[in-house]
Amino acid sequence: MQIRDLPYADPGVPDVRSGTRFLIWLGRGQLRGQILSLLWGMVHHLGIAGLPLGVGFAVQAVVDRDGGRLALAGGLIALLGAALALGDTMLHRTAVTNWITAAARVQQLLARKTAELGSVLTRRVAAGEIVAVSTGDVEKIGWFVEALSRFAAAALTLVLVCVGLVVYEPALGVVVAVGVPVLALAVLPLLPRATRRADVQREKAGRATELASDTVAGLRVLRGIGGEELFLGRYRAASQEVRRAAVRSARMWALISAIQVLLPGVLLIVVVVYGARLALDGRISVGELVTVYSAVALTRYPLRHFEEIAMAFSFSRPSARRAARVLSLERTSTARGTAVPDGGDLYDPVTGVLAPAGRLTAVVCGDPDAAGRLAERLGGHPAEPAEGHTSVLLGGVPLDELELDAARAAVLVQDKDPVLLSGTLAELLDVPSSGAVRAEEALAAAQCADVLDALAQASVDTDGDPMRTRITERGRSLSGGQRQRLALARSLVTDPGVLVLDEPTSAVDAHTESRVAAGVARLREGRTTVVLASSPLLLDLADRVVLVHEGQAVAVGTHRELLRTEPRYRAVVTREPDDDPLPLGREAIPAVREEIEETA
């Protein structure tokens, strides 16, 4: 896999049974890249390991005053230097490719899971954890996948060096062959403790990131209730816990690094002392002593990869565990590839809510949270796993039996807090659609004239064209009502078979709300539309209204019929006690509508 080939056509189905299994699955999915990195790592490390042999030949040639052998040794050193440079370059290239492609695979998997679960994801996993997994954790996972092949190359090189030294000079080679495994394995007893400390650090850092992300997301609310200092204190305490955990982890890794420096030095001293005695006794030549000494000195480089792979695994395992936890979440679905029904009623067996095909149905819930959960259910995304056992029916076909793409195309849900992505207004409205509704029609139905004027005035380099004006991230430069109406226009452009709107006019004034309701009713005429709202101006335009009380549909009729006959409905819509026989303002609704229509 090359970087230019990203993104993956299909990132695959990950093994999410544990963090370790997920890492193994990632490595196995990059087998070709791992083999290439291993081979170039061998070229690089063997180039380094071969330099002592050339240096030893050169020293012995100088001692023997043999110019031909000296020239031959120089050529060997030059050849090894070229191999070292080529191996280092290609190793870096392949290793970085492995890192980036592994990170890209994880990000694609996370994006796919986010698209699959929709808003249900943030109800099962904290938003901060999702941010932590998709940023820092992805980097840690990529680091381990990249370091794995370099470690394998270093380990094989050490084996070959030890075997080569035993063959080249048995007396000293045996000492090296015994000493190098001791150096490589000396830190093993410390690794479990270092790993545990790294896990603690990562968990605390993840919680601090979650707290920071959630605090930023709710900053406006915190300012409103004066809770900034409270949450700042919580984050300060969490960050101090991360600092203490990081210091404890760093101390352990510093001890491991010190051992990795100390023990090779001890081995080097042993080789020099023992080798000097052998040279004085005439059992080995000066060149052979220089060769063995240089080889031992250079083993420190491949040995450092043992420390790196231990650190990479320790830091990536909790990251992989977090990623696997997110990726293991499943849509409560039994998709069987059932054909999408052409029209038909939308029916929720759990609440008894029925939205007849081709009509505008309004649903009134006294609990806003219950309304949000109902909207999710109607879109085929149960908010709770337990609710997934009974699917919503579209034309008699359970939505859970439809493929995800088909279900999304059949039913579109716009929640009460829609997100506007950064980009131009034209890009915002460039969404998959039937093509039956033009952007201009959708903007007009959603009463976005003032939004277009504001965008045109804010434009400095688009000749006053609001469609080319950029909208900042999440539409922060717009008011809440403007964002809500742009999101509604985007949903109308999509023109799905069934459109579910959760409080689509909660952030606009009454006059605008009435015009928006009329525009939606006109544009969606003949299409199935469900609106969850409690506004009389909107309810009065619905073909039928369903009252949901304590999770069950308890009354059905028109707005005015329910006002007259259903006390619980009056209590929700007019905010007045159940026993009030004639809610104030009820008779004024038609007059307000007439005044609005005349003004429009």
Side-chain angles (χ1 to χ4, degrees):
M1 184 70 182
Q2 299 297 317
I3 296 177
R4 64 174 177 268
D5 297 326
L6 293 175
Y8 289 92
D10 180 10
V13 180
D15 187 345
V16 294
R17 288 176 291 177
S18 68
T20 303
R21 289 179 181 272
F22 181 60
L23 290 173
I24 294 173
W25 177 84
L26 279 176
R28 193 167 59 244
Q30 292 183 301
L31 192 58
R32 179 175 178 273
Q34 294 290 342
I35 292 175
L36 285 176
S37 185
L38 172 62
L39 294 177
W40 285 117
M42 291 293 295
V43 172
H44 173 61
H45 287 296
L46 289 177
I48 295 175
L51 285 177
L53 184 62
V55 172
F57 283 163
V59 170
Q60 192 61 44
V62 171
V63 172
D64 297 340
R65 299 179 181 277
D66 188 337
R69 289 174 58 194
L70 181 61
L72 185 62
L76 177 61
I77 292 175
L79 181 62
L80 291 170
L84 192 155
L86 177 63
D88 189 23
T89 301
M90 296 306 297
L91 172 62
H92 178 74
R93 180 185 179 89
T94 54
V96 170
T97 299
N98 287 338
W99 187 332
I100 293 176
T101 53
R105 187 190 293 271
V106 177
Q107 287 176 328
Q108 276 191 253
L109 290 169
L110 291 171
R112 186 174 68 181
K113 182 60 64 175
T114 302
E116 176 185 337
L117 296 177
S119 60
V120 178
L121 177 61
T122 54
R123 297 185 181 181
R124 300 185 187 178
V125 182
E129 182 172 353
I130 300 172
V131 173
V133 171
S134 59
T135 54
D137 287 339
V138 167
E139 293 296 317
K140 295 295 187 299
I141 293 170
W143 176 29
F144 173 76
V145 173
E146 175 264 338
L148 188 60
S149 55
R150 291 191 291 107
F151 162 73
L156 287 175
T157 299
L158 286 176
V159 172
L160 293 177
V161 167
C162 291
V163 172
L165 288 179
V166 170
V167 174
Y168 177 73
E169 178 47 58
L172 283 176
V174 171
V175 176
V176 176
V178 172
V180 167
V182 173
L183 299 183
L185 302 177
V187 297
L188 282 182
L190 300 177
L191 287 181
R193 181 177 298 180
T195 301
R196 287 195 297 271
R197 292 189 179 185
D199 288 351
V200 171
Q201 178 195 351
R202 290 295 301 159
E203 290 296 330
K204 291 184 178 295
R207 285 196 292 270
T209 302
E210 293 171 19
L211 179 60
S213 177
D214 294 342
T215 301
V216 171
L219 190 57
R220 181 176 297 180
V221 176
L222 292 177
R223 286 175 176 171
I225 63 176
E228 294 172 276
E229 287 300 322
L230 173 63
F231 275 79
L232 180 61
R234 291 182 180 178
Y235 180 74
R236 186 180 293 114
S239 64
Q240 288 302 312
E241 290 183 8
V242 175
R243 181 189 62 80
R244 287 190 290 268
V247 169
R248 294 184 71 247
S249 178
R251 286 173 179 168
M252 184 56 63
W253 289 112
L255 176 60
I256 292 175
S257 298
I259 292 175
Q260 292 280 17
V261 173
L262 175 64
L263 293 184
V266 172
L267 178 61
L268 204 59
I269 293 173
V270 171
V271 168
V272 170
V273 172
Y274 183 53
R277 290 182 179 178
L278 294 177
L280 289 176
D281 294 340
R283 296 170 57 184
I284 63 173
S285 65
V286 174
E288 291 172 336
L289 175 59
V290 171
T291 298
V292 176
Y293 169 81
S294 301
V296 174
L298 291 176
T299 56
R300 292 179 59 186
Y301 178 70
L303 279 172
R304 293 190 66 84
H305 287 79
F306 283 76
E307 177 189 352
E308 182 189 10
I309 195 64
M311 291 184 66
F313 180 71
S314 298
F315 281 94
S316 65
R317 190 177 65 171
S319 296
R321 187 164 57 242
R322 289 154 64 98
R325 184 164 61 245
V326 173
L327 295 175
S328 64
L329 299 175
E330 294 292 340
R331 177 188 178 218
T332 51
S333 170
T334 56
R336 303 171 186 173
T338 306
V340 180
D342 185 13
D345 299 342
L346 183 69
Y347 176 65
D348 177 23
V350 173
T351 60
V353 171
L354 172 67
R359 300 178 67 183
L360 173 60
T361 302
V363 179
V364 176
C365 294
D367 182 1
D369 292 335
R373 291 193 296 270
L374 176 58
E376 293 293 338
R377 281 193 54 78
L378 293 176
H381 301 282
E384 302 296 336
E387 296 181 4
H389 297 297
T390 305
S391 174
V392 170
L393 305 179
L394 177 60
V397 177
L399 283 181
D400 282 354
E401 293 187 5
L402 301 178
E403 294 293 340
L404 181 61
D405 293 342
R408 293 281 173 83
V411 182
L412 174 66
V413 177
Q414 177 182 302
D415 61 27
K416 60 172 63 69
D417 187 22
V419 175
L420 301 182
L421 302 179
S422 59
T424 65
L425 180 56
E427 292 171 342
L428 175 70
L429 299 178
D430 184 16
V431 293
S433 65
S434 66
V437 179
R438 294 183 294 111
E440 294 78 6
E441 295 174 331
L443 290 169
Q447 300 299 310
C448 294
D450 63 316
V451 185
L452 297 178
D453 292 339
L455 292 176
Q457 294 175 6
S459 175
V460 295
D461 56 356
T462 60
D463 298 327
D465 184 1
M467 300 300 291
R468 295 166 53 196
T469 303
R470 293 195 64 82
I471 298 174
T472 57
E473 182 184 2
R474 300 182 69 90
R476 297 187 188 279
S477 59
L478 303 173
S479 68
Q482 290 173 329
R483 289 196 301 270
Q484 194 173 58
R485 281 176 284 156
L486 282 181
L488 176 59
R490 179 178 59 189
S491 299
L492 293 174
V493 166
T494 303
D495 190 38
V498 178
L499 177 61
V500 179
L501 303 172
D502 185 7
E503 294 288 356
T505 58
S506 59
V508 300
D509 59 80
H511 284 69
T512 304
E513 181 180 34
S514 180
R515 290 196 292 268
V516 169
V520 170
R522 182 176 61 257
L523 197 62
R524 292 288 299 175
E525 185 176 0
R527 308 285 275 169
T528 307
T529 307
V530 181
V531 181
L532 290 96
S534 57
S535 167
L537 293 174
L538 195 153
L539 297 172
D540 198 40
L541 287 173
D543 296 321
R544 68 198 305 269
V545 180
V546 180
L547 172 64
V548 175
H549 181 68
E550 295 182 354
Q552 294 294 319
V554 295
V556 179
T558 65
H559 168 62
R560 300 188 185 191
E561 290 173 351
L562 293 177
L563 276 178
R564 186 174 59 255
T565 61
E566 180 54 63
R568 291 171 295 186
Y569 182 80
R570 284 200 304 271
V572 174
V573 174
T574 66
R575 308 294 193 273
E576 294 190 3
D578 293 0
D579 56 357
D580 188 345
L582 186 62
L584 294 176
R586 167 183 146 196
E587 295 180 342
I589 292 175
V592 171
R593 289 186 53 211
E594 291 176 2
E595 178 185 351
I596 292 171
E597 291 172 357
E598 291 175 0
T599 303

